[in-house]
Amino acid sequence: MSFVRRTAFSLAFYLFCLSLAWTQNSILGFTPTSVARETEIEKKFKAIPSPDEEKRQHRIFTSEPHVAGSKRNNELANYIADEWRKQGLEDVIIRRYDVYGSNPKSASLEMVAPVRYQATLREAPLDADPDSKNPQISGAWSGMSISGDVTAPVVYAHSGNPEDYAVLRQHGIDVKGRIVLVRYSNPYSYRGFKALTAQREGAAAILIYSDPAEDGYKKGKVVPDGPWGPEYHIQRGAITYDFMVPGDPQTPGWPSVPGAKRIPIEQAMSAPKIMALPLSWHDAKPLLENMDGPLAPENWQGGLPIQYHVGGERVRVHLKIEMENSIQPYYVVEGRIRGSELPDEWIVMGNHRDAWVFGGVDPSSGTASMMEMTRALGKLAKEGMRPRRTLVVCSWDGEEVGLTGSTEWGEQFADELRKKAVAYLNVDSSTSGPDFHGQAVASLAPMLVETTRSLEDPSGKSLYEAWKASSIREKREAKQTIEVSDANLADTRIGSGSDHTVFLNFVGMPVIGLQFDGPYGVYHSGYDDFYWMNHFGDPGYRYHTLMSQLWGVTALRLANAELEPFDFASYADNVRQFVDELVKGKDMSELDLKAVRDGITEFAASGKRLSNSINRKLASGAVDPKLTEIINHGMMQVERNWLNPDGIPGRPWFKHILYGARFTYAHLELPGLTETVEKQDWATAKQQAEFLQRALANNATLLDRLSARLDKKNVDSLK
Ligand SMILES: [Zn+2]
């Protein structure tokens, strides 16, 4: 072996070892040297949250009902603030918003014909579960129902979606002036959409019941013997039309700080104009079994041992609802751990505090995980391991009413967030079982997948392996043939229905949402409590603990990275899929999307170039803080550039052009473009396409500028 060849060999070997070390110990966004420090911090962090503490916190939050606006929920705001101060969080403050509140005074439902039946509208206490005997448990009510007193015939309208009313019309049944009885559909569709549909159809009121086929005995054992909903369970919930504009209905687009301008409630787009009441199947059954009219279609038949008819004449009920509507204070608790190097770059995290009753899963599992996460973060900061960027943590109020607290806070700080915020990490319910579901805006999906590799699932596998296994199982059960890969493990289709909405759709921040799921039939009922969690959801609190770890590690990576781990090539791939899905099966002869497709190709290429430049820069180990600040702020701008200041057609509050939500809360990609194409409003669709094309071009140019900046420095540093 000649000298030259030997040198070449050893150099190659050295580079090989270096690359091995790089792949084994790399973290997206970190230099090889900073990876070691980050790994050390994460190790210390992960060791702090404990199942016993998770359980202790969970018990505090689930000991009493704490609906938005209640004394107990406000006491819990003070409790969180006090705990956070003890834990070492800084700038802890309780922010007050004066919002339109609707609380129940009384509700009654009586069948007056053909036989008399007085609905109980209550959930039966269970000996096995002492909390179920708490006198503070509310009866049946729907948030934002209007008050009224009506006696009318009842029509069964299946899930209460527009196509169900079309079926009724085919049977010659008009629901005008009648009361519709619908069931919570499976898969879930937001009850507010059912209410709006009934209102548009001219119904006098809507009753929404839980059919055992969806979340009761047809699924498996019911409480207290299993996780599914028992005979008397009632799914409460708001019917606010927050898919049009979330938050306080009287302050659409601006914060409800005390003294803020308010529009009359009659003019509020998101305020329902219909009476609504949820029912257990115990109370719905007497109505259903007395109905006349045609036999309901096969797929309308439910889990009760009766034949479902559509009704319309024979069954008459007297419904009376009295609501108390007034302006009431909601409280958002905010705390932070100030960044040691970049205090004006923020990672924002949040969970809602308000629950329909005890909130065993929704949201107190998430609140317990948050309290253990903040304890661990506070402990690290006290020990000198302060994050480089600032971590802002919030306990939202009134999420259940209309995503209210987070919306008002997001509207209040929108300008500051657009300057400073890197991302928002949401945890609503943290745990109802062992199956992980991670959502992320496509640019952050790869970093989320990578993060799960460093966490251990209670099964003994890595969280990444467990996630992949449950994802494969779920796809098989849903008879989907898509192969599960790292590129599609995280769910990049983000609808509404939780507190991420204002940050993604109004402020223009990338968002991540984390949750563990399992069989769960007591959503928004009094049985969603401490007993349920300890017997079915997460006995042992291991998934609560894992959530605290995962949420914190994700935040720490975003807070400590040298160059933020955004992957814009992945974003471009997703946007291409969104367009493919939009045009699938549609006659698109009226709209040419070639320029949009070219724009995506360019954005993808620019994203790839930037990733290469970033990887070279990080591998070189030499990072100039001034330069990284420029690059990071440039990358933060990408999400803001997807905002259309005019919003999507008909919904000006929703400004994001890639992400939106259907009225059912279901995800809706390219919302403005998709909705106008569906309506065949080609002139508006063309404008939407042009806006998208410009945003793609702007972002491609922006990324190219950042690459050039990085490469110039790379070249300079070689001199
Ligand atoms: Zn929730």
Side-chain angles (χ1 to χ4, degrees):
M1 211 182 273
S2 78
F3 172 78
V4 174
R5 277 186 62 194
R6 221 172 42 220
T7 311
F9 172 76
S10 54
L11 184 66
F13 185 68
Y14 169 76
L15 285 172
F16 171 70
C17 292
L18 201 71
S19 74
L20 205 66
W22 175 247
T23 49
Q24 283 177 350
N25 299 311
S26 70
I27 301 177
L28 289 169
F30 290 80
T31 62
T33 26
S34 61
V35 163
R37 181 176 175 268
E38 175 66 15
T39 308
E40 188 59 29
I41 291 172
E42 289 178 10
K43 198 174 147 205
K44 290 221 163 82
F45 171 80
K46 285 186 283 190
I48 301 169
S50 85
D52 287 349
E53 273 298 299
E54 300 275 354
K55 182 172 181 173
R56 191 180 71 80
Q57 290 288 2
H58 188 247
R59 185 56 196 149
I60 290 167
F61 286 98
T62 57
S63 63
E64 292 291 335
H66 54 287
V67 78
S70 67
K71 187 164 164 278
R72 177 61 182 170
N73 198 42
N74 299 343
E75 283 168 8
L76 287 172
N78 286 319
Y79 166 74
I80 291 173
D82 290 344
E83 284 284 291
W84 279 355
R85 287 186 189 110
K86 281 186 229 155
Q87 290 175 347
L89 271 68
E90 293 137 343
D91 309 327
V92 176
I93 180 169
I94 299 180
R95 297 193 186 273
R96 171 177 165 168
Y97 300 98
D98 287 347
V99 308
Y100 181 84
S102 99
N103 293 300
K105 255 163 97 177
S106 68
S108 68
L109 175 73
E110 190 189 7
M111 177 162 62
V112 293
V115 287
R116 284 200 174 263
Y117 172 75
Q118 185 72 46
T120 64
L121 306 183
R122 307 286 315 184
E123 298 179 294
L126 302 168
D127 282 337
D129 178 1
D131 284 337
S132 70
K133 298 176 182 171
N134 189 314
Q136 296 298 315
I137 298 173
S138 66
W141 69 292
S142 299
M144 292 285 175
S145 164
I146 61 164
S147 300
D149 187 335
V150 62
T151 302
V154 183
V155 175
Y156 170 52
H158 186 222
S159 279
N161 293 322
E163 59 272 23
D164 296 320
Y165 292 95
V167 171
L168 287 173
R169 265 190 290 278
Q170 283 164 18
H171 282 94
I173 294 166
D174 184 356
V175 302
K176 244 178 222 84
R178 293 188 164 93
I179 294 172
V180 292
L181 173 65
V182 307
R183 58 201 237 192
Y184 280 108
S185 51
N186 193 19
Y188 177 77
S189 110
Y190 173 52
R191 71 191 79 72
F193 178 56
K194 298 172 193 289
L196 175 65
T197 310
Q199 180 185 314
R200 283 174 171 171
E201 294 285 341
I206 182 169
L207 306 169
I208 314 176
Y209 84 99
S210 302
D211 195 282
E214 276 139 23
D215 62 4
Y217 61 76
K218 284 283 175 181
K219 289 282 192 179
K221 282 189 180 165
V222 303
V223 169
D225 305 313
W228 295 102
E231 180 171 354
Y232 288 90
H233 85 282
I234 298 166
Q235 186 192 129
R236 296 159 189 77
I239 56 163
T240 316
Y241 304 159
D242 55 12
F243 39 76
M244 298 207 198
V245 51
D248 182 349
Q250 294 186 286
T251 63
W254 64 91
S256 296
V257 290
K261 179 186 92 182
R262 313 184 64 80
I263 61 169
I265 193 69
E266 298 74 29
Q267 288 171 21
M269 215 183 185
S270 61
K273 315 271 189 290
I274 189 168
M275 293 165 72
L277 193 68
L279 299 179
S280 65
W281 71 252
H282 175 87
D283 280 339
K285 188 165 172 261
L287 275 55
L288 283 164
E289 66 191 0
N290 279 295
M291 281 194 186
D292 57 353
L295 190 65
E298 186 61 38
N299 65 331
W300 289 31
Q301 298 297 321
L304 294 169
I306 53 168
Q307 285 206 308
Y308 290 54
H309 289 256
V310 296
E313 291 304 332
R314 189 159 174 258
V315 171
R316 292 175 66 81
V317 298
H318 174 208
L319 173 67
K320 193 171 173 208
I321 297 174
E322 263 191 286
M323 302 294 286
E324 188 184 292
N325 301 318
S326 59
I327 306 305
Q328 61 184 48
Y330 281 4
Y331 297 100
V332 168
V333 193
E334 179 193 315
R336 65 187 64 204
I337 294 179
R338 283 184 225 129
S340 58
E341 294 170 37
L342 300 158
D344 285 335
E345 291 179 20
W346 296 356
I347 318 302
V348 186
M349 292 178 272
N351 155 266
H352 74 90
R353 183 178 69 253
D354 62 306
W356 283 106
V357 189
F358 301 103
V361 171
D362 181 11
S364 302
S365 62
T367 316
S369 291
M370 176 178 74
M371 297 310 286
E372 267 301 85
M373 174 185 67
T374 51
R375 182 172 74 89
L377 291 171
K379 194 156 186 277
L380 284 193
K382 282 181 191 165
E383 290 171 12
M385 277 165 286
R386 190 169 277 280
R388 296 180 62 228
R389 296 181 181 83
T390 295
L391 302 174
V392 180
V393 193
C394 294
S395 165
W396 310 122
D397 201 350
E399 186 271 353
E400 297 291 2
V401 184
L403 315 176
T404 308
S406 58
T407 300
E408 300 309 321
W409 191 88
E411 289 172 345
Q412 185 177 2
F413 298 106
D415 290 341
E416 194 171 1
L417 288 164
R418 287 184 190 128
K419 281 192 204 97
K420 299 180 176 175
V422 176
Y424 173 69
L425 315 181
N426 192 56
V427 173
D428 188 317
S429 304
S430 88
T431 309
S432 63
D435 298 331
F436 180 62
H437 286 115
Q439 275 197 328
V441 158
S443 55
L444 286 177
M447 83 77 64
L448 176 61
V449 171
E450 184 193 63
T451 304
T452 59
R453 288 178 184 273
S454 68
L455 290 144
E456 197 186 324
D457 185 82
S459 65
K461 295 181 206 157
S462 72
L463 175 57
Y464 167 79
E465 291 294 340
W467 185 11
K468 216 165 175 181
S470 65
S471 186
I472 289 168
R473 199 192 64 231
E474 282 165 11
K475 289 224 161 49
R476 201 181 302 135
E477 281 165 8
K479 299 196 165 56
Q480 290 176 356
T481 50
I482 317 152
E483 206 165 312
V484 174
S485 69
D486 284 5
N488 66 15
L489 195 50
D491 178 9
T492 57
R493 314 299 162 108
I494 303 173
S496 183
S498 194
D499 291 306
H500 61 275
T501 305
V502 69
F503 301 105
L504 178 61
N505 303 103
F506 185 83
V507 180
M509 282 163 64
V511 301
I512 287 179
L514 310 170
Q515 186 165 358
F516 289 94
D517 286 329
Y520 173 48
V522 295
Y523 174 65
H524 287 187
S525 83
Y527 305 110
D528 181 10
D529 66 358
F530 188 69
Y531 173 92
W532 191 93
M533 186 58 74
N534 280 273
H535 286 81
F536 314 114
D538 187 22
Y541 288 81
R542 296 176 306 167
Y543 290 93
H544 281 75
T545 310
L546 178 53
M547 179 59 84
S548 299
Q549 295 169 327
L550 170 65
W551 197 1
V553 170
T554 310
L556 285 170
R557 289 189 177 188
L558 292 167
N560 292 335
E562 263 113 355
L563 290 164
E564 287 298 347
F566 291 117
D567 186 329
F568 298 111
S570 150
Y571 213 153
D573 287 344
N574 274 263
V575 180
R576 190 178 295 114
Q577 287 170 28
F578 297 169
V579 173
D580 289 344
E581 281 160 29
L582 163 66
V583 303
K584 205 169 161 192
K586 290 192 192 78
D587 175 7
M588 296 294 292
S589 52
E590 298 287 331
L591 184 68
D592 186 1
L593 290 178
K594 182 170 183 305
V596 166
R597 287 189 180 279
D598 291 348
I600 295 170
T601 306
E602 266 175 50
F603 177 53
S606 303
K608 189 88 208 131
R609 272 196 294 277
L610 180 60
S611 290
N612 291 339
S613 301
I614 285 177
N615 289 341
R616 273 198 301 276
K617 188 80 207 168
L618 290 171
S620 77
V623 280
D624 167 17
K626 208 88 228 124
L627 176 65
T628 56
E629 198 179 330
I630 292 167
I631 305 297
N632 285 329
H633 278 267
M635 291 196 289
M636 282 153 67
Q637 188 58 38
V638 171
E639 203 67 35
R640 323 296 189 239
N641 286 349
W642 303 127
L643 297 184
N644 182 340
D646 297 334
I648 61 178
R651 292 192 277 171
W653 189 91
F654 285 85
K655 301 189 186 300
H656 206 292
I657 58 167
L658 303 181
Y659 283 108
R662 300 265 182 198
F663 283 20
T664 58
Y665 278 172
H667 61 91
L668 170 64
E669 288 71 48
L670 308 171
L673 187 57
T674 304
E675 287 185 333
T676 48
V677 166
E678 285 172 353
K679 282 185 199 141
Q680 304 196 349
D681 174 0
W682 300 113
T684 317
K686 191 160 174 279
Q687 289 166 7
Q688 295 293 308
E690 281 164 4
F691 194 94
L692 172 58
Q693 186 196 327
R694 277 199 301 278
L696 285 161
N698 284 345
N699 272 336
T701 308
L702 168 61
L703 298 189
D704 284 345
R705 245 189 11 241
L706 300 179
S707 301
R709 217 45 218 242
L710 274 167
D711 293 343
K712 179 173 172 289
K713 289 281 178 173
N714 280 338
V715 171
D716 288 350
S717 66
L718 289 175
K719 280 178 191 161

